[in-house]
Amino acid sequence: MIEVERLTKRYGPATAVEDVSFACRPGTVTGFLGPNGAGKSTTMRMICGLTPASSGTATVLGVPFRSLPNPGRHVGVLLDASAQHAGRTGRETLALTAQLLGVPSARADQMLETVGLAGKAAGRRVGNYSLGMRQRLGIAQALVGDPSVLILDEPANGLDPEGIYWMRTLLRGFADRGGTVLLSSHLLHEVEAVADTLVVIAGGRVVANGTKSELLAPSGRTLVRALDPAALYTAVVSANLTVIRREPPTSDGLGEGLVVEAPAEAVGRAAAASGVALTELRQAGGGGLEELFLTLTGRPAAPAAPRPPAPAGPSVPQEALR
């Protein structure tokens, strides 16, 4: 369980995070989303006790992170995979973590196997790892203590499509066994596939917070396109309808579109009254999480990675890591 209440962080006159509140419950994956500079990493660092809050509170398992006895046994954290010691091997890194947390050394080898770094990869120095391999090692390090909570900032960064699918399966399984996951990522398709709850932050403030089904439910907005986009815009505005945003032309030749805050019937009548020929008229909302993100933040997210075929199991062949 993670609970954040009115969390605020100021740096002099600048406010990085303002009045942020949300909760992550056992058995769920919470997707924590927002454009670059929105305050996601700052919020996660405050939850983990690495950055002091200006005001508000953040608790993990009912207490501030710093009050947890041997916190790695309760909370697995991955905020920056590049922060690992470059001179140690993967096995040495996890063996040292196991020793510090007071868990059997065999746990290190178990986690190397789980994340696909067993064998030769375990004996390589971390400085020679690819970004994806360092991410895998960071996830393994977060899991060594057998925690009940995971806090992960961009864990899919550097993973190939098969690795992303593996990570999604791992996180879903962790939550289904009763664990709590807070996941920050720019890969919206992957978040949509694994998350139960979504928290969207923009400009340091929460702009959406709810279950995936609630936030991605069909809206009362309409997507409309016409042969003459300029005439369409004039017709919609003249009918006192609100244009939320413009949509780019489609790959199959349909021109620029508009997302309008009105039912399809009202938009169609406005176009007909001005003699505008439409090429598309439908309820907006088919864009899923990406459309929600664009609507709330006004910025595009990182492109989704290609969807890979489902592997036979959670382990990944060593050659896929290189």
Side-chain angles (χ1 to χ4, degrees):
M1 181 76 173
I2 301 171
E3 294 181 291
V4 175
E5 291 288 340
R6 309 197 69 176
L7 207 57
T8 297
K9 179 61 182 178
R10 299 185 183 90
Y11 295 97
T15 300
V17 175
E18 184 173 4
D19 203 30
V20 166
S21 298
F22 62 88
C24 308
R25 305 191 181 282
T28 66
V29 177
T30 298
F32 191 36
L33 308 173
N36 291 332
K40 302 188 303 299
S41 294
T42 300
T43 299
M44 298 179 89
R45 288 180 61 83
M46 287 191 284
I47 293 172
C48 296
L50 298 174
T51 296
S54 300
S55 61
T57 62
T59 60
V60 184
L61 301 174
V63 298
F65 187 93
R66 291 189 175 189
S67 298
L68 289 168
N70 197 357
R73 296 294 300 271
H74 305 282
V75 187
V77 178
L78 174 60
L79 299 182
D80 183 3
S82 65
Q84 296 151 348
H85 194 296
R88 295 193 181 107
T89 66
R91 180 176 288 108
E92 288 170 345
T93 298
L94 294 195
L96 178 59
T97 301
Q99 181 179 356
L100 290 172
L101 296 181
V103 300
S105 58
R107 180 73 177 169
D109 287 324
Q110 292 172 3
M111 291 303 97
L112 287 168
E113 185 71 36
T114 296
V115 302
L117 289 177
K120 291 182 179 179
R124 292 172 59 182
R125 296 191 186 279
V126 174
N128 295 324
Y129 276 12
S130 67
L131 176 57
M133 294 174 74
R134 290 197 298 272
Q135 292 286 16
R136 290 174 181 274
L137 183 63
I139 293 171
Q141 198 167 22
L143 292 170
V144 163
D146 194 20
S148 60
V149 176
L150 287 177
I151 299 175
L152 308 174
D153 191 5
E154 300 291 347
N157 189 23
L159 294 180
D160 61 16
E162 189 177 12
I164 292 172
Y165 180 90
W166 160 82
M167 185 197 68
R168 185 204 309 167
T169 303
L170 179 114
L171 297 184
R172 187 67 264 167
F174 183 90
D176 289 345
R177 293 190 298 273
T180 303
V181 180
L182 176 60
L183 169 66
S184 171
S185 177
H186 284 106
L187 299 179
L188 299 186
H189 173 79
E190 297 307 319
V191 174
E192 186 172 358
V194 75
D196 306 287
T197 302
L198 301 171
V199 178
V200 184
I201 186 172
R205 300 180 67 93
V206 172
V207 294
N209 181 6
T211 66
K212 182 170 62 177
S213 59
E214 291 170 345
L215 294 179
L216 300 186
S219 66
R221 295 172 178 173
T222 298
L223 173 62
V224 59
R225 300 180 193 272
L227 294 175
D228 186 341
L232 173 62
Y233 181 85
T234 300
V236 168
V237 172
S238 297
N240 294 319
L241 303 180
T242 301
V243 175
I244 301 300
R245 68 175 185 276
R246 297 178 185 270
E247 287 285 302
T250 66
S251 59
D252 56 357
L254 295 180
E256 182 183 74
L258 302 174
V259 175
V260 183
E261 187 75 67
E265 180 182 358
V267 176
R269 288 182 180 275
S274 297
V276 177
L278 300 182
T279 57
E280 184 175 15
L281 179 68
R282 62 174 174 84
Q283 184 180 53
L289 183 53
E290 182 175 3
E291 183 166 313
L292 175 71
F293 185 95
L294 287 168
T295 300
L296 295 174
T297 68
R299 302 190 198 177
R307 176 176 285 188
S315 61
V316 177
Q318 291 299 310
E319 58 266 26
L321 302 176
R322 297 176 175 84

